[in-house]
Amino acid sequence: MPDVTDEAIAAKVQAGDGESFGLLMERYEAKLTRYARRFLLNGEDGPDVVQEVFIKAYVNIKSFNPAKRFSPWIYRIAHNEFINAIKKRQRSREMLLSFFEPDIFFPHPLAKESASGEAERASLRAELEKNLNKIGPKYREPLVLYYFEELDYREIADVLRIPAATVGVRLKRGREALKKIMPTSPLV
Amino acid sequence: MTDEPKQTIQAKVLEEIKSGHLLMRPKWRFALNLALFAVGMALALALVWYMVSFTIFILHDSGAWFGPSFGPRGWLAVIGSLPGVIIFLAILFVIVLEILVHHFAFSYRRPVVYSLGGIMLLVVIGSAAVAKARVHERLTSYAERHHVPMMAPLARVFRGRPNAHLFPGTIATTTENGFVLTTRRGDFIYIHISQSTRLPPGFLFAAGDKVMIFGDRMASSVTAFGVRPLCPPRQLPPPPGCDE
């Protein structure tokens, strides 16, 4: 059913057609596994976390509004699960403090989304892929969502629950971090 | 090799769904969740309104509200009169409110400073309205008259703390260098007026006037730095020949 939208399938699942959830899993499993691998940095718990994302998505599917896009909704669940996985793994408090981050406190000018060509994006992705592990999770996640999962600023804002302008700021800082690691990087 | 986890994840989840072990949460659970958020926000806002307006009431009651009219030393007197515990709790509930509001897209899509600004505006407007309605005055006197548990002792704790530099009261009688003030507790304080005392221009003291004194207390006398009438000031009579 390639022409049927995710939202329409989600609506069918909400109506009680549990089998249709398999279609959604088919469409998102590769994406979420990739997202987990890049965000959790090849953690062995990746497949388990992705499975947990689908379980949470199914259990909470009736909270999804089919008038909105499905992908930010499932990525939000994935984000929460990945954060929990990182907390379990590192016992890090970094994420707990995200509400008090100064970059979500004050307004920033909204940076324009770059309209780079596919060839350029592919080279950026290749470079990012090699160096993602050197960038902290705060900047790594928006880079992954923007360059690999191809979500726009507004969708990333909904996934991370931060202002869209802050997404721009974090992407810029993420690229700057990469530039420091690889001075020849074309990202900045 | 790479397809193996894919098959496993899908198969496992679908199996759980088919076997009935995995159930969708009903829609009402999410509606209830939303309602609880709304109730939580309303409750937090009401508590902040209550605490801020109670602080205004205490400042009025102790006379500290009029401190700023006596200059920087008056401001210090106001700061010293603030009920620290209540202010701390009010700030805590504002943070709770911000966290609850941040759950909604209209809030998290904008910088925190905007939602915090909106909350502060609501707090100021609501608290001013509650203070103007004299809710605490009525509640406190009701609690004291009927000995309401918790409320009556709380009112006594906060109302029974006179400010060290501000003395509201009524002029009992005038003296050669000032007047005798009857405080709200019924004590008498001798107020010394000097040339450096800040007085409203043209103000005439007379027995029965309600005034606020700002000064240093020594036993039963106060050297006044400033005097402010709490009722419309009695003005000097117009000079002869200027009658309207």
Side-chain angles (χ1 to χ4, degrees), chain B residues 170-175 179-180 182 203-210 234:
Chain B
T170 309
I171 295 175
T173 177
T174 52
T175 61
F179 48 82
V180 177
T182 314
F203 178 56
L204 281 179
F205 304 117
D209 284 350
K210 289 185 189 310
R234 197 187 309 281

Side-chain angles (χ1 to χ4, degrees), chain B residues 134-211:
Chain B
R134 306 177 86 175
V135 170
H136 294 287
E137 212 166 10
R138 289 177 204 155
L139 275 177
T140 310
S141 48
Y142 176 85
E144 282 174 347
R145 267 186 283 122
H146 296 88
H147 305 285
V148 180
M150 299 276 289
M151 268 184 81
L154 193 76
R156 268 199 299 277
V157 165
F158 287 104
R159 292 190 78 186
R161 296 191 310 180
N163 191 285
H165 298 284
L166 289 158
F167 308 94
T170 309
I171 295 175
T173 177
T174 52
T175 61
E176 213 171 275
N177 59 352
F179 48 82
V180 177
L181 187 81
T182 314
T183 66
R184 286 176 186 173
R185 288 175 163 193
D187 302 333
F188 289 102
I189 305 176
Y190 292 91
I191 308 295
H192 295 291
I193 306 285
S194 66
Q195 281 193 330
S196 61
T197 305
R198 285 169 65 173
L199 296 167
F203 178 56
L204 281 179
F205 304 117
D209 284 350
K210 289 185 189 310
V211 287

Side-chain angles (χ1 to χ4, degrees), chain B residues 53-231:
Chain B
S53 57
F54 187 61
T55 303
I56 296 171
F57 166 68
I58 290 168
L59 291 179
H60 261 291
D61 197 56
S62 69
W65 188 256
F66 302 99
S69 62
F70 296 113
R73 289 180 71 175
W75 276 103
L76 285 176
V78 176
I79 292 164
S81 295
L82 289 172
V85 178
I86 291 178
I87 301 278
F88 172 77
L89 285 174
I91 292 170
L92 200 72
F93 277 105
V94 166
I95 294 171
V96 168
L97 193 55
E98 174 59 39
I99 290 169
L100 292 176
V101 168
H102 203 75
H103 177 79
F104 297 95
F106 70 84
S107 170
Y108 68 69
R109 278 185 185 156
R110 288 170 187 83
V112 171
V113 77
Y114 290 167
S115 49
L116 208 55
I119 288 172
M120 293 314 287
L121 193 71
L122 272 178
V123 167
V124 169
I125 294 170
S127 307
V130 175
K132 204 164 172 62
R134 306 177 86 175
V135 170
H136 294 287
E137 212 166 10
R138 289 177 204 155
L139 275 177
T140 310
S141 48
Y142 176 85
E144 282 174 347
R145 267 186 283 122
H146 296 88
H147 305 285
V148 180
M150 299 276 289
M151 268 184 81
L154 193 76
R156 268 199 299 277
V157 165
F158 287 104
R159 292 190 78 186
R161 296 191 310 180
N163 191 285
H165 298 284
L166 289 158
F167 308 94
T170 309
I171 295 175
T173 177
T174 52
T175 61
E176 213 171 275
N177 59 352
F179 48 82
V180 177
L181 187 81
T182 314
T183 66
R184 286 176 186 173
R185 288 175 163 193
D187 302 333
F188 289 102
I189 305 176
Y190 292 91
I191 308 295
H192 295 291
I193 306 285
S194 66
Q195 281 193 330
S196 61
T197 305
R198 285 169 65 173
L199 296 167
F203 178 56
L204 281 179
F205 304 117
D209 284 350
K210 289 185 189 310
V211 287
M212 171 66 66
I213 312 298
F214 179 57
D216 281 341
R217 185 169 183 168
M218 291 273 283
S220 61
S221 66
V222 169
T223 306
F225 303 135
V227 178
R228 188 188 187 282
L230 294 179
C231 302

Side-chain angles (χ1 to χ4, degrees), chain A residues 13 29 59-60 104-105 154, chain B residues 6 10 25 109 112-113:
Chain A
V13 178
E29 194 176 334
V59 170
N60 295 298
I104 65 162
F105 222 90
R154 204 181 161 85
Chain B
K6 184 180 173 182
Q10 277 194 35
R25 282 199 183 122
R109 278 185 185 156
V112 171
V113 77

